[in-house]
Amino acid sequence: MNDQFRKVGVMGIERMHSPQYWEMRAEEFRTKADNCEHPETRKSLRNVAKTYEELARRAEQVRTLRDVAE
């Protein structure tokens, strides 16, 4: 494995899909949160959206590192 990949700890699910996929999922959960009446559920949905945003960020790092390695 390339040392650059090891530095960012890329071994997980973020490698399975494009950054755009994860961004779409984040938007989906933000929309669900915006339409939710229950504060606890709304908070949970926003946390899920934040997780997807992080996966999008990490997927972009993977893409960038792959481009640099090529």
Side-chain angles (χ1 to χ4, degrees), residues 35-50:
N35 293 319
C36 184
E37 295 180 19
H38 305 285
E40 291 291 320
T41 304
R42 186 171 38 248
K43 181 179 178 183
S44 294
L45 291 168
R46 287 192 177 132
N47 285 335
V48 171
K50 287 178 185 178

Side-chain angles (χ1 to χ4, degrees), residues 10-63:
V10 177
M11 292 296 293
I13 194 169
E14 67 276 5
R15 295 179 67 178
M16 294 178 66
H17 298 287
S18 70
Q20 293 80 16
Y21 170 85
W22 298 117
E23 290 165 3
M24 287 177 15
R25 297 291 292 171
E27 181 59 29
E28 176 185 347
F29 276 83
R30 281 191 298 271
T31 300
K32 288 179 181 188
D34 291 344
N35 293 319
C36 184
E37 295 180 19
H38 305 285
E40 291 291 320
T41 304
R42 186 171 38 248
K43 181 179 178 183
S44 294
L45 291 168
R46 287 192 177 132
N47 285 335
V48 171
K50 287 178 185 178
T51 300
Y52 282 129
E53 289 167 0
E54 176 62 16
L55 287 168
R57 187 189 66 76
R58 290 170 53 184
E60 187 60 43
Q61 285 181 328
V62 169
R63 177 181 284 174

Side-chain angles (χ1 to χ4, degrees), residues 1-12 14-16 57-70:
M1 180 189 305
N2 187 315
D3 284 338
Q4 290 175 318
F5 285 106
R6 218 176 275 123
K7 286 179 187 175
V8 294
V10 177
M11 292 296 293
E14 67 276 5
R15 295 179 67 178
M16 294 178 66
R57 187 189 66 76
R58 290 170 53 184
E60 187 60 43
Q61 285 181 328
V62 169
R63 177 181 284 174
T64 300
L65 290 173
R66 283 184 189 150
D67 291 347
V68 168
E70 293 175 352

